[in-house]
Amino acid sequence: MRPTGILLSYNSRDTLGATLQRAREVCNEIFVVDSFSSDGTIELASSYGASVVQHAFENYGAQRNWAIDNLPISAKWQLHLDADEVMDEELTRAIIALPDEPEHEGYFVPRYVKFLGRVLRHGGMSPTWHLRLFRTGVGRCEDRKYDQHFLLAGSGTTGQLPGAMIDDIAMSLSEWTSRHNRWADGEVAEMDAASNGAANSGRIVADAGGNPAQRKRALREKYNSLPLFVRPFALFGYRYFFKLGFLDGTEGFIFWVLQTFWFRFLIDAKIWEKRHLR
């Protein structure tokens, strides 16, 4: 199999080279959809033989679907990555080994987070599974403001690939927290839409017995059913202690406090603010 690679980028010079180097091992054709970078990202992408297309960024789902709908993709299959997601050798071998007409219509890829220079191996998020390889014409990204995942149209089946892609979070903590502040607004908007009965067409259906994305969404719904301000404490305790997040050292401690407590507490605080002060 030789899928078309589609990567999203914005000021990604520090991480894009490693991502493209591995992507070239499995893709004969690579597109980088850039959101008007100013740090040399475009020149770097071109030096790796990628075709660079610029498009204004709205959110991840919209950007990915724009790429699916508008790029001149020639391959039967598509591989979607972010600029900081580096595939390991086992994953690249697994993709290459797939036949041109494989058993499934799409494949989930395991993703690990590299935070402050350390790959996190515990906490119940190592790995998370993402549908990133699928047949052209059958995959779409959810229309969500935060935590968007790909899904297949129709009744196509999915498989899981070995290996891993490493999400190398190379940005500073200042930039990381700034982005999560914006994503907290997106999550609040999603919760408001759900509580107001917004349509769920084109979105992953929560199913505790379904594929990895459906199971994750089912767990998210359980989390959202817990009381405000209680659930961030519960989530941190679950990930850091019960799921052994403390084994990831100082880097893991910082990540689990910020990701599973601070970020989720900020979402709850914004929900409370909206309900009581606006």
Side-chain angles (χ1 to χ4, degrees), residues 132-166:
R132 296 298 187 83
L133 179 68
F134 49 80
R135 189 183 301 276
T136 296
V138 304
R140 302 288 295 175
C141 193
E142 291 181 287
D143 180 20
R144 288 176 56 91
K145 299 180 183 299
Y146 174 69
D147 193 32
Q148 306 94 336
H149 287 258
F150 285 101
L151 69 163
L152 298 182
S155 58
T157 61
T158 59
Q160 295 180 202
L161 294 177
M165 62 180 180
I166 308 299

PDB file of all heavy atoms in Angstrom, residues 132-166:
ATOM      1  N   ARG A 132      -6.618   6.981  11.200  1.00  0.00           N
ATOM      2  CA  ARG A 132      -5.849   7.901  10.347  1.00  0.00           C
ATOM      3  C   ARG A 132      -5.560   7.350   8.958  1.00  0.00           C
ATOM      4  O   ARG A 132      -5.081   8.085   8.107  1.00  0.00           O
ATOM      5  CB  ARG A 132      -4.528   8.248  11.033  1.00  0.00           C
ATOM      6  CG  ARG A 132      -4.683   8.997  12.334  1.00  0.00           C
ATOM      7  CD  ARG A 132      -5.378  10.352  12.135  1.00  0.00           C
ATOM      8  NE  ARG A 132      -5.358  11.125  13.360  1.00  0.00           N
ATOM      9  CZ  ARG A 132      -4.346  11.870  13.761  1.00  0.00           C
ATOM     10  NH1 ARG A 132      -3.256  11.943  13.015  1.00  0.00           N
ATOM     11  NH2 ARG A 132      -4.405  12.540  14.895  1.00  0.00           N
ATOM     12  N   LEU A 133      -5.813   6.074   8.735  1.00  0.00           N
ATOM     13  CA  LEU A 133      -5.576   5.459   7.432  1.00  0.00           C
ATOM     14  C   LEU A 133      -6.891   4.879   6.937  1.00  0.00           C
ATOM     15  O   LEU A 133      -7.471   4.009   7.589  1.00  0.00           O
ATOM     16  CB  LEU A 133      -4.521   4.352   7.564  1.00  0.00           C
ATOM     17  CG  LEU A 133      -4.164   3.578   6.294  1.00  0.00           C
ATOM     18  CD1 LEU A 133      -3.440   4.467   5.295  1.00  0.00           C
ATOM     19  CD2 LEU A 133      -3.307   2.349   6.639  1.00  0.00           C
ATOM     20  N   PHE A 134      -7.368   5.385   5.798  1.00  0.00           N
ATOM     21  CA  PHE A 134      -8.646   4.883   5.288  1.00  0.00           C
ATOM     22  C   PHE A 134      -8.715   5.053   3.778  1.00  0.00           C
ATOM     23  O   PHE A 134      -7.970   5.835   3.170  1.00  0.00           O
ATOM     24  CB  PHE A 134      -9.838   5.584   5.961  1.00  0.00           C
ATOM     25  CG  PHE A 134      -9.751   7.080   5.991  1.00  0.00           C
ATOM     26  CD1 PHE A 134     -10.077   7.847   4.882  1.00  0.00           C
ATOM     27  CD2 PHE A 134      -9.347   7.735   7.144  1.00  0.00           C
ATOM     28  CE1 PHE A 134     -10.018   9.239   4.919  1.00  0.00           C
ATOM     29  CE2 PHE A 134      -9.273   9.124   7.196  1.00  0.00           C
ATOM     30  CZ  PHE A 134      -9.613   9.872   6.079  1.00  0.00           C
ATOM     31  N   ARG A 135      -9.645   4.298   3.191  1.00  0.00           N
ATOM     32  CA  ARG A 135      -9.829   4.324   1.743  1.00  0.00           C
ATOM     33  C   ARG A 135     -10.361   5.697   1.311  1.00  0.00           C
ATOM     34  O   ARG A 135     -11.251   6.267   1.962  1.00  0.00           O
ATOM     35  CB  ARG A 135     -10.802   3.225   1.320  1.00  0.00           C
ATOM     36  CG  ARG A 135     -10.894   3.028  -0.190  1.00  0.00           C
ATOM     37  CD  ARG A 135     -11.934   1.965  -0.537  1.00  0.00           C
ATOM     38  NE  ARG A 135     -11.618   0.682   0.068  1.00  0.00           N
ATOM     39  CZ  ARG A 135     -10.780  -0.203  -0.464  1.00  0.00           C
ATOM     40  NH1 ARG A 135     -10.173   0.069  -1.608  1.00  0.00           N
ATOM     41  NH2 ARG A 135     -10.556  -1.368   0.138  1.00  0.00           N
ATOM     42  N   THR A 136      -9.838   6.205   0.232  1.00  0.00           N
ATOM     43  CA  THR A 136     -10.293   7.488  -0.305  1.00  0.00           C
ATOM     44  C   THR A 136     -11.780   7.418  -0.631  1.00  0.00           C
ATOM     45  O   THR A 136     -12.254   6.484  -1.282  1.00  0.00           O
ATOM     46  CB  THR A 136      -9.485   7.851  -1.571  1.00  0.00           C
ATOM     47  OG1 THR A 136      -8.110   8.036  -1.219  1.00  0.00           O
ATOM     48  CG2 THR A 136     -10.011   9.130  -2.214  1.00  0.00           C
ATOM     49  N   GLY A 137     -12.504   8.391  -0.135  1.00  0.00           N
ATOM     50  CA  GLY A 137     -13.936   8.470  -0.395  1.00  0.00           C
ATOM     51  C   GLY A 137     -14.818   7.969   0.719  1.00  0.00           C
ATOM     52  O   GLY A 137     -16.039   8.172   0.669  1.00  0.00           O
ATOM     53  N   VAL A 138     -14.225   7.345   1.752  1.00  0.00           N
ATOM     54  CA  VAL A 138     -15.063   6.790   2.824  1.00  0.00           C
ATOM     55  C   VAL A 138     -14.802   7.448   4.180  1.00  0.00           C
ATOM     56  O   VAL A 138     -15.540   7.189   5.129  1.00  0.00           O
ATOM     57  CB  VAL A 138     -14.887   5.262   2.957  1.00  0.00           C
ATOM     58  CG1 VAL A 138     -15.174   4.566   1.644  1.00  0.00           C
ATOM     59  CG2 VAL A 138     -13.495   4.915   3.462  1.00  0.00           C
ATOM     60  N   GLY A 139     -13.792   8.280   4.300  1.00  0.00           N
ATOM     61  CA  GLY A 139     -13.450   8.870   5.586  1.00  0.00           C
ATOM     62  C   GLY A 139     -13.772  10.343   5.664  1.00  0.00           C
ATOM     63  O   GLY A 139     -13.600  11.090   4.692  1.00  0.00           O
ATOM     64  N   ARG A 140     -14.252  10.771   6.824  1.00  0.00           N
ATOM     65  CA  ARG A 140     -14.508  12.185   7.112  1.00  0.00           C
ATOM     66  C   ARG A 140     -14.068  12.463   8.543  1.00  0.00           C
ATOM     67  O   ARG A 140     -13.929  11.547   9.365  1.00  0.00           O
ATOM     68  CB  ARG A 140     -15.999  12.539   7.001  1.00  0.00           C
ATOM     69  CG  ARG A 140     -16.629  12.270   5.672  1.00  0.00           C
ATOM     70  CD  ARG A 140     -16.169  13.244   4.624  1.00  0.00           C
ATOM     71  NE  ARG A 140     -16.590  14.613   4.905  1.00  0.00           N
ATOM     72  CZ  ARG A 140     -16.215  15.674   4.173  1.00  0.00           C
ATOM     73  NH1 ARG A 140     -15.395  15.497   3.160  1.00  0.00           N
ATOM     74  NH2 ARG A 140     -16.640  16.879   4.466  1.00  0.00           N
ATOM     75  N   CYS A 141     -13.883  13.745   8.847  1.00  0.00           N
ATOM     76  CA  CYS A 141     -13.587  14.147  10.216  1.00  0.00           C
ATOM     77  C   CYS A 141     -14.836  14.754  10.835  1.00  0.00           C
ATOM     78  O   CYS A 141     -15.623  15.429  10.154  1.00  0.00           O
ATOM     79  CB  CYS A 141     -12.442  15.162  10.243  1.00  0.00           C
ATOM     80  SG  CYS A 141     -11.757  15.443  11.895  1.00  0.00           S
ATOM     81  N   GLU A 142     -15.023  14.508  12.125  1.00  0.00           N
ATOM     82  CA  GLU A 142     -16.192  15.039  12.820  1.00  0.00           C
ATOM     83  C   GLU A 142     -16.223  16.565  12.762  1.00  0.00           C
ATOM     84  O   GLU A 142     -15.191  17.229  12.797  1.00  0.00           O
ATOM     85  CB  GLU A 142     -16.153  14.646  14.294  1.00  0.00           C
ATOM     86  CG  GLU A 142     -16.351  13.195  14.582  1.00  0.00           C
ATOM     87  CD  GLU A 142     -16.324  12.955  16.076  1.00  0.00           C
ATOM     88  OE1 GLU A 142     -15.234  13.027  16.674  1.00  0.00           O
ATOM     89  OE2 GLU A 142     -17.406  12.703  16.646  1.00  0.00           O
ATOM     90  N   ASP A 143     -17.430  17.103  12.704  1.00  0.00           N
ATOM     91  CA  ASP A 143     -17.636  18.546  12.767  1.00  0.00           C
ATOM     92  C   ASP A 143     -17.763  18.941  14.230  1.00  0.00           C
ATOM     93  O   ASP A 143     -18.858  19.169  14.752  1.00  0.00           O
ATOM     94  CB  ASP A 143     -18.893  18.936  11.984  1.00  0.00           C
ATOM     95  CG  ASP A 143     -19.141  20.438  12.025  1.00  0.00           C
ATOM     96  OD1 ASP A 143     -18.191  21.190  12.316  1.00  0.00           O
ATOM     97  OD2 ASP A 143     -20.295  20.850  11.789  1.00  0.00           O
ATOM     98  N   ARG A 144     -16.628  18.995  14.917  1.00  0.00           N
ATOM     99  CA  ARG A 144     -16.570  19.364  16.322  1.00  0.00           C
ATOM    100  C   ARG A 144     -15.539  20.464  16.517  1.00  0.00           C
ATOM    101  O   ARG A 144     -14.591  20.577  15.754  1.00  0.00           O
ATOM    102  CB  ARG A 144     -16.178  18.155  17.195  1.00  0.00           C
ATOM    103  CG  ARG A 144     -17.239  17.098  17.351  1.00  0.00           C
ATOM    104  CD  ARG A 144     -16.712  15.905  18.143  1.00  0.00           C
ATOM    105  NE  ARG A 144     -16.185  16.299  19.451  1.00  0.00           N
ATOM    106  CZ  ARG A 144     -16.899  16.335  20.573  1.00  0.00           C
ATOM    107  NH1 ARG A 144     -18.168  15.993  20.552  1.00  0.00           N
ATOM    108  NH2 ARG A 144     -16.347  16.689  21.710  1.00  0.00           N
ATOM    109  N   LYS A 145     -15.721  21.253  17.575  1.00  0.00           N
ATOM    110  CA  LYS A 145     -14.786  22.327  17.868  1.00  0.00           C
ATOM    111  C   LYS A 145     -13.579  21.837  18.666  1.00  0.00           C
ATOM    112  O   LYS A 145     -12.568  22.540  18.772  1.00  0.00           O
ATOM    113  CB  LYS A 145     -15.492  23.455  18.630  1.00  0.00           C
ATOM    114  CG  LYS A 145     -16.640  24.092  17.846  1.00  0.00           C
ATOM    115  CD  LYS A 145     -17.289  25.199  18.636  1.00  0.00           C
ATOM    116  CE  LYS A 145     -18.486  25.783  17.876  1.00  0.00           C
ATOM    117  NZ  LYS A 145     -18.078  26.368  16.577  1.00  0.00           N
ATOM    118  N   TYR A 146     -13.679  20.645  19.258  1.00  0.00           N
ATOM    119  CA  TYR A 146     -12.568  20.090  20.027  1.00  0.00           C
ATOM    120  C   TYR A 146     -12.683  18.562  20.029  1.00  0.00           C
ATOM    121  O   TYR A 146     -13.780  18.017  19.979  1.00  0.00           O
ATOM    122  CB  TYR A 146     -12.586  20.619  21.469  1.00  0.00           C
ATOM    123  CG  TYR A 146     -11.547  19.976  22.350  1.00  0.00           C
ATOM    124  CD1 TYR A 146     -10.194  20.225  22.161  1.00  0.00           C
ATOM    125  CD2 TYR A 146     -11.906  19.079  23.351  1.00  0.00           C
ATOM    126  CE1 TYR A 146      -9.239  19.617  22.950  1.00  0.00           C
ATOM    127  CE2 TYR A 146     -10.956  18.469  24.149  1.00  0.00           C
ATOM    128  CZ  TYR A 146      -9.615  18.746  23.942  1.00  0.00           C
ATOM    129  OH  TYR A 146      -8.668  18.138  24.710  1.00  0.00           O
ATOM    130  N   ASP A 147     -11.524  17.900  20.079  1.00  0.00           N
ATOM    131  CA  ASP A 147     -11.454  16.443  20.157  1.00  0.00           C
ATOM    132  C   ASP A 147     -12.127  15.791  18.956  1.00  0.00           C
ATOM    133  O   ASP A 147     -12.944  14.877  19.076  1.00  0.00           O
ATOM    134  CB  ASP A 147     -12.086  15.945  21.458  1.00  0.00           C
ATOM    135  CG  ASP A 147     -11.769  14.478  21.740  1.00  0.00           C
ATOM    136  OD1 ASP A 147     -10.675  14.039  21.356  1.00  0.00           O
ATOM    137  OD2 ASP A 147     -12.610  13.790  22.339  1.00  0.00           O
ATOM    138  N   GLN A 148     -11.742  16.240  17.766  1.00  0.00           N
ATOM    139  CA  GLN A 148     -12.308  15.684  16.547  1.00  0.00           C
ATOM    140  C   GLN A 148     -11.612  14.389  16.173  1.00  0.00           C
ATOM    141  O   GLN A 148     -10.396  14.251  16.292  1.00  0.00           O
ATOM    142  CB  GLN A 148     -12.140  16.689  15.389  1.00  0.00           C
ATOM    143  CG  GLN A 148     -12.703  18.064  15.678  1.00  0.00           C
ATOM    144  CD  GLN A 148     -11.667  19.031  16.224  1.00  0.00           C
ATOM    145  OE1 GLN A 148     -10.664  18.621  16.801  1.00  0.00           O
ATOM    146  NE2 GLN A 148     -11.898  20.318  16.033  1.00  0.00           N
ATOM    147  N   HIS A 149     -12.393  13.423  15.697  1.00  0.00           N
ATOM    148  CA  HIS A 149     -11.863  12.149  15.228  1.00  0.00           C
ATOM    149  C   HIS A 149     -12.416  11.854  13.839  1.00  0.00           C
ATOM    150  O   HIS A 149     -13.497  12.327  13.465  1.00  0.00           O
ATOM    151  CB  HIS A 149     -12.256  11.015  16.180  1.00  0.00           C
ATOM    152  CG  HIS A 149     -11.504  11.027  17.467  1.00  0.00           C
ATOM    153  ND1 HIS A 149     -10.449  10.187  17.727  1.00  0.00           N
ATOM    154  CD2 HIS A 149     -11.646  11.790  18.585  1.00  0.00           C
ATOM    155  CE1 HIS A 149      -9.967  10.410  18.942  1.00  0.00           C
ATOM    156  NE2 HIS A 149     -10.690  11.386  19.484  1.00  0.00           N
ATOM    157  N   PHE A 150     -11.671  11.047  13.081  1.00  0.00           N
ATOM    158  CA  PHE A 150     -12.169  10.571  11.800  1.00  0.00           C
ATOM    159  C   PHE A 150     -13.155   9.435  12.019  1.00  0.00           C
ATOM    160  O   PHE A 150     -13.087   8.708  13.017  1.00  0.00           O
ATOM    161  CB  PHE A 150     -11.009  10.059  10.937  1.00  0.00           C
ATOM    162  CG  PHE A 150     -10.161  11.150  10.343  1.00  0.00           C
ATOM    163  CD1 PHE A 150      -8.941  11.487  10.907  1.00  0.00           C
ATOM    164  CD2 PHE A 150     -10.574  11.835   9.217  1.00  0.00           C
ATOM    165  CE1 PHE A 150      -8.149  12.478  10.375  1.00  0.00           C
ATOM    166  CE2 PHE A 150      -9.792  12.837   8.666  1.00  0.00           C
ATOM    167  CZ  PHE A 150      -8.571  13.157   9.251  1.00  0.00           C
ATOM    168  N   LEU A 151     -14.060   9.289  11.069  1.00  0.00           N
ATOM    169  CA  LEU A 151     -14.999   8.172  11.069  1.00  0.00           C
ATOM    170  C   LEU A 151     -15.269   7.762   9.634  1.00  0.00           C
ATOM    171  O   LEU A 151     -15.022   8.533   8.698  1.00  0.00           O
ATOM    172  CB  LEU A 151     -16.296   8.523  11.791  1.00  0.00           C
ATOM    173  CG  LEU A 151     -17.243   9.545  11.162  1.00  0.00           C
ATOM    174  CD1 LEU A 151     -18.621   9.427  11.813  1.00  0.00           C
ATOM    175  CD2 LEU A 151     -16.737  10.970  11.338  1.00  0.00           C
ATOM    176  N   LEU A 152     -15.749   6.546   9.466  1.00  0.00           N
ATOM    177  CA  LEU A 152     -16.059   6.030   8.144  1.00  0.00           C
ATOM    178  C   LEU A 152     -17.519   6.251   7.809  1.00  0.00           C
ATOM    179  O   LEU A 152     -18.391   6.098   8.664  1.00  0.00           O
ATOM    180  CB  LEU A 152     -15.751   4.534   8.060  1.00  0.00           C
ATOM    181  CG  LEU A 152     -14.304   4.087   8.263  1.00  0.00           C
ATOM    182  CD1 LEU A 152     -14.209   2.580   8.083  1.00  0.00           C
ATOM    183  CD2 LEU A 152     -13.364   4.802   7.305  1.00  0.00           C
ATOM    184  N   ALA A 153     -17.765   6.609   6.561  1.00  0.00           N
ATOM    185  CA  ALA A 153     -19.142   6.697   6.085  1.00  0.00           C
ATOM    186  C   ALA A 153     -19.625   5.292   5.744  1.00  0.00           C
ATOM    187  O   ALA A 153     -18.872   4.474   5.216  1.00  0.00           O
ATOM    188  CB  ALA A 153     -19.214   7.604   4.858  1.00  0.00           C
ATOM    189  N   GLY A 154     -20.860   5.006   6.061  1.00  0.00           N
ATOM    190  CA  GLY A 154     -21.417   3.702   5.737  1.00  0.00           C
ATOM    191  C   GLY A 154     -21.042   2.653   6.756  1.00  0.00           C
ATOM    192  O   GLY A 154     -20.765   2.935   7.919  1.00  0.00           O
ATOM    193  N   SER A 155     -20.995   1.408   6.316  1.00  0.00           N
ATOM    194  CA  SER A 155     -20.827   0.278   7.226  1.00  0.00           C
ATOM    195  C   SER A 155     -19.472  -0.391   7.099  1.00  0.00           C
ATOM    196  O   SER A 155     -19.323  -1.571   7.415  1.00  0.00           O
ATOM    197  CB  SER A 155     -21.931  -0.757   6.961  1.00  0.00           C
ATOM    198  OG  SER A 155     -21.891  -1.187   5.611  1.00  0.00           O
ATOM    199  N   GLY A 156     -18.475   0.329   6.623  1.00  0.00           N
ATOM    200  CA  GLY A 156     -17.152  -0.258   6.466  1.00  0.00           C
ATOM    201  C   GLY A 156     -16.543  -0.660   7.795  1.00  0.00           C
ATOM    202  O   GLY A 156     -16.793  -0.043   8.835  1.00  0.00           O
ATOM    203  N   THR A 157     -15.730  -1.700   7.785  1.00  0.00           N
ATOM    204  CA  THR A 157     -15.100  -2.204   9.003  1.00  0.00           C
ATOM    205  C   THR A 157     -13.725  -1.568   9.190  1.00  0.00           C
ATOM    206  O   THR A 157     -13.132  -1.031   8.247  1.00  0.00           O
ATOM    207  CB  THR A 157     -14.956  -3.726   8.962  1.00  0.00           C
ATOM    208  OG1 THR A 157     -14.117  -4.091   7.860  1.00  0.00           O
ATOM    209  CG2 THR A 157     -16.313  -4.384   8.832  1.00  0.00           C
ATOM    210  N   THR A 158     -13.224  -1.640  10.419  1.00  0.00           N
ATOM    211  CA  THR A 158     -11.922  -1.061  10.740  1.00  0.00           C
ATOM    212  C   THR A 158     -11.036  -2.112  11.408  1.00  0.00           C
ATOM    213  O   THR A 158     -11.517  -3.038  12.050  1.00  0.00           O
ATOM    214  CB  THR A 158     -12.058   0.148  11.686  1.00  0.00           C
ATOM    215  OG1 THR A 158     -12.702  -0.260  12.909  1.00  0.00           O
ATOM    216  CG2 THR A 158     -12.857   1.268  11.031  1.00  0.00           C
ATOM    217  N   GLY A 159      -9.735  -1.930  11.266  1.00  0.00           N
ATOM    218  CA  GLY A 159      -8.751  -2.753  11.938  1.00  0.00           C
ATOM    219  C   GLY A 159      -7.798  -1.883  12.740  1.00  0.00           C
ATOM    220  O   GLY A 159      -7.933  -0.656  12.779  1.00  0.00           O
ATOM    221  N   GLN A 160      -6.832  -2.500  13.388  1.00  0.00           N
ATOM    222  CA  GLN A 160      -5.841  -1.793  14.188  1.00  0.00           C
ATOM    223  C   GLN A 160      -4.447  -2.221  13.741  1.00  0.00           C
ATOM    224  O   GLN A 160      -4.207  -3.402  13.488  1.00  0.00           O
ATOM    225  CB  GLN A 160      -6.033  -2.084  15.679  1.00  0.00           C
ATOM    226  CG  GLN A 160      -7.344  -1.558  16.220  1.00  0.00           C
ATOM    227  CD  GLN A 160      -7.553  -1.851  17.695  1.00  0.00           C
ATOM    228  OE1 GLN A 160      -8.679  -1.865  18.194  1.00  0.00           O
ATOM    229  NE2 GLN A 160      -6.477  -2.118  18.428  1.00  0.00           N
ATOM    230  N   LEU A 161      -3.531  -1.262  13.652  1.00  0.00           N
ATOM    231  CA  LEU A 161      -2.178  -1.527  13.204  1.00  0.00           C
ATOM    232  C   LEU A 161      -1.212  -1.525  14.380  1.00  0.00           C
ATOM    233  O   LEU A 161      -1.404  -0.791  15.352  1.00  0.00           O
ATOM    234  CB  LEU A 161      -1.740  -0.469  12.188  1.00  0.00           C
ATOM    235  CG  LEU A 161      -2.485  -0.463  10.853  1.00  0.00           C
ATOM    236  CD1 LEU A 161      -1.987   0.679   9.979  1.00  0.00           C
ATOM    237  CD2 LEU A 161      -2.309  -1.790  10.127  1.00  0.00           C
ATOM    238  N   PRO A 162      -0.144  -2.315  14.309  1.00  0.00           N
ATOM    239  CA  PRO A 162       0.882  -2.296  15.358  1.00  0.00           C
ATOM    240  C   PRO A 162       1.819  -1.113  15.177  1.00  0.00           C
ATOM    241  O   PRO A 162       1.767  -0.396  14.179  1.00  0.00           O
ATOM    242  CB  PRO A 162       1.614  -3.626  15.134  1.00  0.00           C
ATOM    243  CG  PRO A 162       1.495  -3.850  13.655  1.00  0.00           C
ATOM    244  CD  PRO A 162       0.125  -3.336  13.272  1.00  0.00           C
ATOM    245  N   GLY A 163       2.706  -0.935  16.148  1.00  0.00           N
ATOM    246  CA  GLY A 163       3.621   0.186  16.102  1.00  0.00           C
ATOM    247  C   GLY A 163       3.049   1.385  16.809  1.00  0.00           C
ATOM    248  O   GLY A 163       2.176   1.256  17.680  1.00  0.00           O
ATOM    249  N   ALA A 164       3.502   2.571  16.445  1.00  0.00           N
ATOM    250  CA  ALA A 164       3.025   3.782  17.123  1.00  0.00           C
ATOM    251  C   ALA A 164       3.378   5.007  16.312  1.00  0.00           C
ATOM    252  O   ALA A 164       4.319   5.012  15.512  1.00  0.00           O
ATOM    253  CB  ALA A 164       3.642   3.897  18.515  1.00  0.00           C
ATOM    254  N   MET A 165       2.595   6.061  16.504  1.00  0.00           N
ATOM    255  CA  MET A 165       3.034   7.395  16.106  1.00  0.00           C
ATOM    256  C   MET A 165       3.189   8.199  17.396  1.00  0.00           C
ATOM    257  O   MET A 165       2.389   8.069  18.327  1.00  0.00           O
ATOM    258  CB  MET A 165       2.053   8.051  15.134  1.00  0.00           C
ATOM    259  CG  MET A 165       0.660   8.299  15.643  1.00  0.00           C
ATOM    260  SD  MET A 165      -0.346   9.093  14.355  1.00  0.00           S
ATOM    261  CE  MET A 165      -1.929   9.266  15.217  1.00  0.00           C
ATOM    262  N   ILE A 166       4.247   8.985  17.458  1.00  0.00           N
ATOM    263  CA  ILE A 166       4.577   9.765  18.640  1.00  0.00           C
ATOM    264  C   ILE A 166       4.179  11.204  18.402  1.00  0.00           C
ATOM    265  O   ILE A 166       4.684  11.856  17.486  1.00  0.00           O
ATOM    266  CB  ILE A 166       6.074   9.680  18.974  1.00  0.00           C
ATOM    267  CG1 ILE A 166       6.533   8.216  19.059  1.00  0.00           C
ATOM    268  CG2 ILE A 166       6.370  10.418  20.269  1.00  0.00           C
ATOM    269  CD1 ILE A 166       5.850   7.406  20.113  1.00  0.00           C
TER     270      ILE A 166
END
